[in-house]
Amino acid sequence: MSILSSRARALKPSPTLAINAKAKSMQAQGIHVISFGAGEPDFDTPDNIKRAAVKAIEEGFTKYTAVGGTDELKDAILHKFKRDNGLTYKRSQVIASSGGKHSFYNLTQALLEGGDEVVVPSPFWVSYPPMVALTGATPVIVETREENDFKMTPPDLEKAITPRTKALIINSPSNPTGSTYTKEELEKISQIALAHNVFVISDEIYEKIVYDGFQFTSIASLGEEIKKRTMIVHGVAKTYAMTGWRIGYAAGPEEIIAAMSNIQSQSTSNPNSIAQKATIEALVGPQEAVAKMVAAFLERRNYIVDRLNELPDVSCYKPAGAFYVFPNFSSYYGRSYQGKRISNSTQLADFFLDVARVAVVPGVEFGADPFERLSFATSMEDIQEGLDRIEEALRQLK
Ligand code: PLP
């Protein structure tokens, strides 16, 4: 009998973190790897945010705080929702955690149990199905199509709902596709959710990273009824280049926030006190740094999408949000390199890493095997060089 619980045995490590680890270990051996693997901005955290943290240390703000974050931080979160989304919450309706992932985890633990079903549109962020499954609930995957811009259609959603459906997940802008839902599309989803009494989990962590004038809408802002049935999961990691600081937050019904807070009180306690101070500056301080980063992402997106679409037999959807592209490489499946056949996204990603020294994340990890995910949160030089390498490597597949 294994010493490990069946829960632990069933869990795979996060594939995105694993690919980055492999790329880093090749780099440590002196191999120049270009990594499109990381889900994090390559920029440094803006100076005003760093200074707020230094000040917190110097002032001795280094003790435990309230479990769900200080009142000052909660007020900054409330300010953000009012300013950006026109949403009014009370302090008792928000919680800060050690990253958006942690907020999401606490939420699944508070909401779900065996017998429940959760609608997860695919391609999905790698951590949704495992976090749902850890509660004993079942992720019900709804496949979206490239020709629908990777968006779940109302009929597909209706079909997936059963009497056991407790919640559905919306992630707009999406990791891995960068796909974005318009206000009208969210209205339809909201109507279906309300009609079937399904709770909405809206992961809005890429809200600020949008292009081409896309107007972000939070599904919770569409009316009082849907607001009462929605939990927003958010964080500062992506918007403010603060991945290492580990602050995320959630907003929604008081009862669920209180349960999440209980879970947090018995596991991790408060998120880092210094990072809380930095987050207040991020959320209420000057926002110019965000616009600058988004402008850089836009330039890279335009370049990488064009280059990918110029590759023979590759198609790449142009995302209006986040910093990923999700090109379709499936025309290459069935071709071989030095007698070795490549049949899926994992084998193609291995081929790119071994032959081109380029790290990408296989689409299968996001529930969509025809694709690979490339993050363009890396320098223009690396994007150019990486695409040159991919182009050359693909030519060698016969
Ligand atoms: N949600 C999505 C869709 C993400 O891509 C990520 C990070 O990769 C997160 C949530 C969690 O981010 P963090 O825990 O760094 O705040």
Side-chain angles (χ1 to χ4, degrees):
M1 214 176 71
S2 166
I3 187 131
L4 297 177
S5 68
S6 50
R7 222 175 36 253
R9 273 179 286 147
L11 203 60
K12 287 196 318 177
S14 163
T16 41
L17 299 185
I19 300 256
N20 289 329
K22 186 167 173 193
K24 276 196 182 129
S25 103
M26 284 172 76
Q27 250 145 0
Q29 294 164 39
I31 303 168
H32 178 214
V33 176
I34 301 228
S35 181
F36 292 115
E40 63 180 344
D42 54 321
F43 302 107
D44 199 3
T45 305
D47 268 343
N48 60 316
I49 298 173
K50 286 191 195 170
R51 278 199 306 273
V54 170
K55 185 158 171 274
I57 294 175
E58 284 170 355
E59 290 176 355
F61 193 72
T62 53
K63 307 279 196 244
Y64 292 133
T65 71
V67 170
T70 61
D71 281 349
E72 192 191 3
L73 173 58
K74 287 190 174 178
D75 288 346
I77 294 169
L78 300 184
H79 173 80
K80 176 253 164 298
F81 281 119
K82 186 93 205 134
R83 177 192 62 204
D84 298 345
N85 314 103
L87 281 164
T88 306
Y89 289 107
K90 295 186 283 198
R91 278 184 191 161
S92 56
Q93 292 180 298
V94 294
I95 184 173
S97 314
S98 303
K101 191 183 256 182
H102 186 213
S103 292
F104 196 95
Y105 181 83
N106 287 340
L107 172 60
T108 53
Q109 291 292 323
L111 206 62
L112 305 171
E113 61 197 346
D116 292 337
E117 292 178 356
V118 178
V119 173
V120 183
S122 103
F124 44 72
W125 179 42
V126 291
S127 293
Y128 297 144
M131 284 202 272
V132 168
L134 268 177
T135 69
T138 306
V140 174
I141 308 299
V142 174
E143 285 187 16
T144 65
R145 289 172 286 280
E146 199 177 0
E147 54 277 19
N148 288 343
D149 296 349
F150 298 107
K151 286 191 257 197
M152 182 168 62
T153 64
D156 285 347
L157 171 58
E158 295 257 21
K159 255 186 266 156
I161 293 176
T162 75
R164 290 180 176 277
T165 309
K166 181 101 181 251
L168 73 89
I169 297 175
I170 288 287
N171 174 215
S172 169
S174 146
N175 174 6
T177 63
S179 175
T180 46
Y181 285 84
T182 63
K183 185 176 178 201
E184 291 69 32
E185 288 162 342
L186 291 173
E187 261 157 8
K188 292 206 180 97
I189 289 174
S190 150
Q191 282 157 13
I192 296 170
L194 289 174
H196 296 274
N197 205 21
V198 170
F199 194 81
V200 178
I201 301 172
S202 182
D203 182 342
E204 304 183 357
I205 201 154
Y206 294 101
E207 167 182 10
K208 293 288 168 198
I209 304 170
V210 289
Y211 316 110
D212 309 329
F214 175 78
Q215 290 291 321
F216 175 86
T217 303
S218 170
I219 191 165
S221 70
L222 296 177
E224 265 316 299
E225 279 314 298
I226 193 67
K227 183 179 171 214
K228 280 192 217 145
R229 305 280 305 152
T230 299
M231 183 66 72
I232 297 175
V233 176
H234 218 307
V236 288
K238 317 289 179 179
T239 311
Y240 302 99
M242 289 177 72
T243 44
W245 298 74
R246 308 310 302 132
I247 299 282
Y249 53 92
E254 203 167 88
E255 187 187 2
I256 303 174
I257 293 287
M260 290 167 69
S261 185
N262 277 346
I263 290 164
Q264 193 161 301
S265 79
Q266 299 290 15
S267 50
T268 57
S269 301
N270 63 273
N272 178 293
S273 61
I274 300 149
Q276 288 191 51
K277 285 282 191 188
T279 296
I280 295 165
E281 176 62 22
L283 293 177
V284 305
Q287 302 292 306
E288 285 75 19
V290 179
K292 264 201 197 145
M293 289 189 267
V294 173
F297 288 143
L298 171 67
E299 191 193 343
R300 299 165 185 188
R301 181 210 58 169
N302 291 342
Y303 178 82
I304 200 167
V305 170
D306 285 350
R307 278 293 302 269
L308 285 163
N309 278 315
E310 281 162 15
L311 294 173
D313 305 321
V314 173
S315 65
C316 180
Y317 165 72
K318 192 175 199 175
F323 41 63
Y324 309 101
V325 279
F326 205 55
N328 187 331
F329 282 103
S330 60
S331 299
Y332 286 87
Y333 301 170
R335 301 190 200 181
S336 300
Y337 174 70
Q338 294 183 344
K340 220 174 130 199
R341 197 178 145 93
I342 285 167
S343 320
N344 56 42
S345 60
T346 308
Q347 289 169 358
L348 187 66
D350 282 344
F351 165 76
F352 283 150
L353 193 54
D354 295 339
V355 174
R357 288 154 290 114
V358 170
V360 304
V361 187
V364 70
E365 307 292 355
F366 308 90
D369 198 42
F371 307 87
E372 304 286 344
R373 190 195 75 175
L374 283 71
S375 160
F376 52 86
T378 187
S379 71
M380 249 326 217
E381 296 73 55
D382 272 9
I383 295 173
Q384 284 164 357
E385 168 78 23
L387 263 295
D388 289 347
R389 291 183 186 189
I390 287 177
E391 190 173 348
E392 176 54 32
L394 287 176
R395 259 192 235 124
Q396 299 179 51
L397 285 180
K398 301 291 173 213

